[in-house]
Amino acid sequence: MSCPCVGNGYDFVLDARRTSPKNSERIGIEFGYASYIIRNIRDPEKPSTLEDLEVVTESCVTVEELDDECFLVTIKFTPTVPHCSLATLIGLCLRVKLQRCLSFKHKLEIYISEGTHSTEEDINKQINDKERVSAAMENPNLREIVEQCVTEPD
C-alpha cells in the first residue's frame, strides 16, 4: 500500500538540531518527512489529530544516521493523560503510518515520553515488539480502528 502523503509537495525544513555533519541535508529531509507523516494521525476517540492534541510535535521526532543507507527514527509521544487507556493504540498507529510511508531504509523506535504515563515501560515494550504489533494488526477490529486513524483526510 502506498502512502497518500508521498508526492504532495510538502517543503521539508532542515533542522540543525537533528542532523549530523556527515549527511546533514539528508537527515534534515528525512526528519522533516517523518514529522510530516505523523502530524495528521487522528486520535482514536477524539475528532482531532495527534498534533492538535500535542500528543506528537515536531520536537518528538529524531532521526539519526546508522550507516550510509539506514536511519534510526525515534518518536517520543505524550499521551493527553497519565492513565490514557489508548496509549498503546496511539503507538500502534504511529508505527503503522511510519512503516507504510517512510521511503528510506530505517529502524523505527516509538516510546511514550518519560514520566508521562503510568505504565509507560509496558507500553513501550509492546509497541516496539514486532510479534505483538503483527498480532495486533491481525485483529480485524483493531486493524479497522488503526486504518481510520492513519488514513489521510480528504
Side-chain angles (χ1 to χ4, degrees):
M1 173 180 245
S2 68
C3 180
C5 51
V6 172
N8 63 5
Y10 179 74
D11 293 325
F12 298 109
V13 177
L14 299 182
D15 186 330
R17 293 171 299 154
R18 292 174 182 79
T19 62
S20 74
K22 182 178 176 188
N23 202 355
S24 62
E25 184 173 335
R26 175 124 188 252
I27 291 174
I29 290 170
E30 308 308 8
F31 162 77
Y33 188 49
S35 298
Y36 180 73
I37 289 169
I38 64 173
R39 67 185 298 183
N40 288 324
I41 296 173
R42 288 189 215 58
D43 184 84
E45 65 181 353
K46 296 183 170 95
S48 303
T49 66
L50 298 182
E51 182 182 55
D52 292 339
L53 298 169
E54 297 182 355
V55 172
V56 295
T57 61
E58 188 175 281
S59 65
C60 81
V61 179
T62 59
V63 176
E64 299 173 41
E65 187 173 19
L66 295 176
D67 60 40
D68 287 342
E69 295 184 19
C70 187
F71 294 87
L72 170 63
V73 178
T74 305
I75 309 292
K76 293 184 180 178
F77 70 98
T78 304
T80 54
V81 292
H83 55 277
C84 177
S85 61
L86 298 174
T88 305
L89 180 56
I90 290 169
L92 182 60
C93 290
L94 289 165
R95 177 167 295 284
V96 167
K97 181 78 178 244
L98 286 162
Q99 284 176 331
R100 286 182 183 172
C101 293
L102 291 177
S103 58
F104 54 89
K105 188 175 173 186
H106 64 278
K107 178 180 179 191
L108 183 57
E109 294 181 353
I110 299 174
Y111 302 104
I112 292 179
S113 299
E114 191 172 333
T116 63
H117 196 278
S118 56
T119 61
E120 71 188 61
E121 287 183 30
D122 292 334
I123 293 172
N124 287 340
K125 286 180 188 175
Q126 287 179 343
I127 58 180
N128 287 294
D129 183 314
K130 289 180 183 179
E131 291 178 10
R132 289 183 184 185
V133 168
S134 179
M137 290 306 292
E138 288 177 10
N139 178 318
N141 296 327
L142 194 53
R143 186 174 52 245
E144 182 179 344
I145 294 169
V146 169
E147 292 298 335
Q148 290 171 0
C149 293
V150 302
T151 301
E152 289 289 317
D154 293 332

